[in-house]
Amino acid sequence: MTSEMHNPQSADSLRKAIFDYASQRFDYNPPPLDGPLSPAELKAKVGQTITEDGLGGEKALNIFAEQLAPATISTDHPGFLSFIPAAPTEAASLFDLVVSASSVYGGSWLEGAGAVYAENQVLSFLAGEYGLPETSGGVFVQGGTLGNLSALAVAREEAAKKLGKKNWTIICSEEAHSSIQAVAMVLGIETTKAASGDSGSIGYDSAKAAALEATSAGLTPMAIVGTAGTTNFGIIDDLAGLAKLAKELGIWYHVDGAYGLAGALIPELRAKFNGIEQADSFIVDPHKWLFAPFDACALVYRNPQLARKTFSQHGEYLEPINKSTEWNPSDYAFNLSRRARGLPLWFSLATYGAAKYRSALKQNVDLAFQIAAEIEKRPSLRLVRQPQLSVVVFERIGWEMSDYEKWSEKLLADQIAFVLPSSLRGKPHTRFAIVNPQTSFELLVEILDSMEK
Ligand SMILES: *Cc1c(COP(=O)(O)O)cnc(C)c1O
């Protein structure tokens, strides 16, 4: 007897309803922006959904479509310009459905060979673009935070092999992503922040000053983290200068390119990332600027064997896998069971080819520069820094944080855009993070106009 829940026939009408819903979601152009409700509002509208007898799929789907989905913001709306949005290609999102339907275990070659082969082609493609050797490799993890954690855990193992136990610290920019701080907390080590100055980028000199400061405070630097596109500004550190310092100090060099390293696929911008080829490890998030759905971070090591030594888990039931010499993705990060989450990007890259990616990325950068020029023309606005990639940061002269907040709330309430305030060294500003090829110059101008009122 099969259970009703697992009997394909009984799911026929539900399957149709789900595919119809997904199909309709794909048809939206643009999708509704929508917005959050409070827990009390959701409780009043939705109430309790988990019952002993079940609601039935139709009713549950209806609750999602009518109540829950509208209480989420569509990150692929062209007016979603906060944080770093996600604008998956149609092929990538469609293939996410296939991954869901396929029940592939992506942790080992034994179970997931075909999927792992395809994921590894994407990792090799990226490593090749950035100039790492063919022997490099890694794994798709859930996000940049976990990617940074895994890379820096390997770095710490390597440092400890050489020097034993020390009071370790990670050298990074004061504008590095907050996850570096979080990683240090989890690893029980420190961070030492290099000054980024007016430019927003660190290089050999500022990182060296930070390393000296760390040493005189009794800390031992164990890794340098370069940021290839800061989250707030899209500014790229001097990756070659940082590589040189890491070599001098004999320590690990990790490049956090969660958002910006995608930009190195643009031929005209490639030189700005020089030095990436010397990284011991890097990350780039397909869910940020490689047009893939949540959630995926490509994590690559120059010498993946070091990661394997750090992360292989040894339980009796895992020994058949550990005996093999094949590529087991679980060995290359702090994870075991895993979704083959690199497949949506693989399918999309295989479908469209790399050239279309390069031009879609370039289009985002061109739009960023175009709107930056428009901002510079307007006396009431001030560009905080010249953009390098696809993030544009600017101030409305005379506005306090509360003015930005009121304006931002109204933009969302009017369903025009989702643009949040941010700040630099305590001074408020706002920013456009442009990763969606559907975002238009006209929409951005409409948003600027709304600040002049
Ligand atoms: C977003 C971001 C991260 C964190 O990535 P998640 O996928 O959100 O965990 C790390 N570093 C940089 C530079 C980022 O922009």
Side-chain angles (χ1 to χ4, degrees):
M1 199 183 98
T2 53
S3 96
E4 192 197 327
M5 290 196 299
H6 290 81
N7 176 353
Q9 259 94 59
S10 77
D12 263 4
S13 65
L14 180 57
R15 190 182 309 165
K16 185 172 181 320
I18 292 281
F19 286 169
D20 284 351
Y21 176 84
S23 186
Q24 188 198 355
R25 180 62 178 72
F26 283 113
D27 279 342
Y28 283 135
N29 187 23
L33 185 58
D34 294 328
L37 296 175
S38 69
E41 286 167 319
L42 279 169
K43 189 155 189 231
K45 282 187 162 222
V46 180
Q48 181 56 261
T49 55
I50 311 301
T51 63
E52 203 55 36
D53 296 329
L55 304 176
E58 203 176 309
K59 184 149 187 218
L61 178 61
N62 205 42
I63 290 171
F64 180 77
E66 304 291 328
Q67 314 288 358
L68 301 176
T72 66
I73 307 183
S74 300
T75 60
D76 56 344
H77 186 281
F80 191 124
L81 299 158
S82 295
F83 310 114
I84 306 287
T89 65
E90 183 172 25
S93 288
L94 283 170
F95 206 73
D96 209 33
L97 294 178
V98 174
V99 176
S100 292
S102 304
S103 205
V104 174
Y105 179 81
S108 74
W109 188 268
L110 175 65
E111 293 147 282
V116 176
Y117 175 82
E119 285 189 309
N120 284 355
Q121 271 201 348
V122 179
L123 296 175
S124 298
F125 165 75
L126 293 170
E129 287 286 320
Y130 305 147
L132 272 80
E134 267 172 38
T135 47
S136 63
V139 53
F140 285 93
V141 294
Q142 169 262 327
T145 300
L146 272 178
N148 285 334
L149 173 64
S150 296
L152 290 164
V154 180
R156 203 250 316 253
E157 286 299 294
E158 287 307 300
K161 271 186 219 158
K162 285 187 206 154
L163 299 177
K165 261 193 159 157
K166 297 277 176 193
N167 290 327
W168 302 118
T169 188
I170 301 167
I171 309 294
C172 63
S173 169
E174 61 181 314
E175 295 186 48
H177 188 264
S178 52
S179 58
I180 305 299
Q181 190 73 47
V183 165
M185 184 274 290
V186 172
L187 294 179
I189 64 179
E190 302 293 320
T191 59
T192 306
K193 306 280 172 73
S196 58
D198 292 339
S199 70
S201 110
I202 62 165
Y204 180 90
D205 290 337
S206 50
K208 185 161 187 180
L212 287 174
E213 178 200 314
T215 310
S216 59
L219 300 171
T220 307
M222 66 97 193
I224 297 179
V225 175
T227 307
T230 55
T231 319
N232 226 6
F233 282 87
I235 285 178
I236 306 156
D237 286 340
D238 171 6
L239 299 181
L242 297 178
K244 180 171 169 227
L245 180 63
K247 202 157 279 166
E248 267 177 38
L249 298 176
I251 62 177
W252 192 273
Y253 182 36
H254 175 66
V255 174
D256 178 358
Y259 151 65
L261 200 44
L265 299 184
I266 306 171
E268 294 90 330
L269 293 187
R270 179 61 183 78
K272 286 187 199 272
F273 297 87
N274 283 349
I276 175 70
E277 72 285 350
Q278 298 180 63
D280 292 301
S281 54
F282 72 78
I283 63 157
V284 56
D285 279 5
H287 66 221
K288 280 186 169 166
W289 200 20
L290 283 171
F291 314 118
F294 295 112
D295 44 23
C297 163
L299 162 64
V300 173
Y301 306 88
R302 170 176 301 277
N303 181 355
Q305 292 319 313
L306 304 179
R308 189 165 187 217
K309 277 188 215 132
T310 306
F311 294 117
S312 294
Q313 294 187 24
H314 296 276
E316 282 90 350
Y317 83 104
L318 294 171
E319 286 321 305
I321 286 172
N322 287 337
K323 267 197 264 164
S324 78
T325 53
E326 282 143 352
W327 193 270
N328 297 317
S330 295
D331 288 345
Y332 300 96
F334 186 64
N335 62 178
L336 187 59
S337 296
R338 64 178 290 277
R339 177 180 179 85
R341 59 166 53 81
L343 287 182
L345 175 59
W346 163 74
F347 183 73
S348 186
L349 265 172
T351 298
Y352 300 122
K356 290 214 175 65
Y357 275 76
R358 299 186 208 283
S359 56
L361 291 161
K362 179 72 164 46
Q363 187 193 322
N364 290 152
V365 175
D366 288 347
L367 179 57
F369 280 76
Q370 198 188 354
I371 200 67
E374 175 66 26
I375 288 165
E376 287 195 299
K377 272 193 224 149
R378 299 191 177 207
S380 64
L381 302 178
R382 192 180 79 83
L383 203 56
V384 178
R385 281 175 181 151
Q386 287 296 333
Q388 289 187 352
L389 296 172
S390 68
V391 180
V392 184
V393 182
F394 59 100
E395 291 170 4
R396 166 70 162 82
I397 289 168
W399 273 16
E400 320 249 315
M401 189 49 104
S402 58
D403 298 308
Y404 287 99
E405 283 165 359
K406 260 184 266 156
W407 162 80
S408 169
E409 275 167 32
K410 183 164 186 323
L411 271 182
L412 183 60
D414 294 345
Q415 292 288 288
I416 294 169
F418 180 54
V419 187
L420 287 176
S422 184
S423 64
L424 176 66
R425 295 167 190 145
K427 197 148 186 255
H429 59 230
T430 191
R431 54 193 273 290
F432 293 152
I434 304 167
V435 300
N436 189 338
Q438 308 274 25
T439 302
S440 67
F441 182 67
E442 291 68 33
L443 174 63
L444 299 182
V445 164
E446 182 186 351
I447 297 170
L448 296 185
D449 288 345
S450 73
M451 303 180 95
E452 315 247 4
K453 284 173 191 156

